[in-house]
């Protein structure tokens, strides 16, 4: 699958969401998984696991992760096409991975959240009932004391 490495958790306020730079545009260092961003004057850590991602993000580091290239996703049809080809298994996998990476982007904005998903360990705000990354049901919590308002069925 064709992927691109995008920068997450960039502290520069103008890039509050996702740094528009790509991994390839950063300066290599003596470590293959670390590059330097001249714009932020920060090291960026290429992460392949969720544990690495959370560790670096919690340390306040910029992280880079791989996300499927948009050319891997199914085509978008507008209007009333006479025939829409079914998604291939590869396109469905690219869609699933893209959705998960967007969930991780969202989770990294909630690093100060009072709870984390019990399955994937990414932070999640108290108002969300299911994990944006893995879909695990967590129930909603009240804002103040962390009391669960509705509890998972199992
Ligand atoms: Zn999760």
């Amino acid at each position: 699958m064709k992927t691109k490495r995008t920068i997450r958790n960039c502290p520069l306020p103008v890039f509050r969401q996702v740094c528009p730079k790509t991994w390839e545009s950063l300066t290599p260092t003596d470590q293959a998984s670390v590059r330097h961003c001249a714009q932020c004057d920060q090291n960026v850590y290429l992460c392949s696991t969720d544990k690495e991602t959370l560790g670096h993000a919690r340390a306040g580091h910029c992280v880079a992760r791989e996300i499927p290239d948009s050319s891997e996703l199914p085509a978008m049809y507008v209007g009333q096409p006479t025939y829409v080809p079914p998604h291939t298994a590869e396109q469905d996998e690219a869609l699933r991975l893209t959705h998960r990476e967007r969930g991780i982007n969202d989770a990294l904005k909630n690093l100060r959240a009072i709870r984390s998903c019990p399955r994937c360990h990414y932070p999640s705000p108290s108002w969300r009932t299911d994990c944006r990354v893995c879909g695990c049901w967590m129930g909603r919590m009240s804002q103040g004391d962390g009391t669960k308002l509705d509890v998972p069925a199992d």
Side-chain angles (χ1 to χ4, degrees):
M1 183 183 296
K2 198 173 154 199
T3 60
K4 59 188 175 200
R5 292 167 171 178
T6 59
I7 315 302
R8 331 283 175 90
N9 207 38
C10 175
L12 208 64
V14 282
F15 300 138
R16 228 187 90 64
Q17 297 211 327
V18 175
C19 177
K21 280 184 170 255
T22 60
W23 179 255
E24 288 68 28
S25 68
L26 304 178
T27 312
T29 67
D30 53 2
Q31 286 173 276
S33 64
V34 183
R35 289 198 171 180
H36 189 79
C37 172
Q39 190 145 2
C40 308
D41 195 25
Q42 300 263 349
N43 282 337
V44 180
Y45 298 82
L46 180 63
C47 299
S48 54
T49 68
D50 293 334
K51 197 176 174 209
E52 281 178 301
T53 304
L54 275 168
H56 281 299
R58 289 213 156 103
H61 298 156
C62 293
V63 300
R65 285 182 58 94
E66 245 156 350
I67 189 166
D69 189 85
S70 54
S71 64
E72 299 285 339
L73 300 174
M76 177 107 59
Y77 291 87
V78 178
Q80 298 180 332
T82 51
Y83 173 71
V84 176
H87 296 177
T88 65
E90 291 78 16
Q91 287 173 329
D92 280 338
E93 179 64 2
L95 269 179
R96 189 190 69 77
L97 288 172
T98 299
H99 183 78
R100 189 174 193 279
E101 289 302 314
R102 287 182 184 154
I104 291 171
N105 290 351
D106 189 64
L108 294 182
K109 292 180 208 155
N110 297 303
L111 287 170
R112 287 189 205 90
I114 57 169
R115 68 171 174 175
S116 298
C117 170
R119 190 197 290 164
C120 72
H121 308 296
Y122 278 103
S124 183
S126 52
W127 52 265
R128 196 180 283 288
T129 56
D130 47 0
C131 175
R132 176 88 203 276
V133 177
C134 72
C136 177
W137 172 261
M138 296 183 290
R140 188 171 285 136
M141 299 174 102
S142 70
Q143 286 290 337
D145 61 2
T147 311
K148 273 200 176 173
L149 295 180
D150 39 30
V151 177
D154 57 352

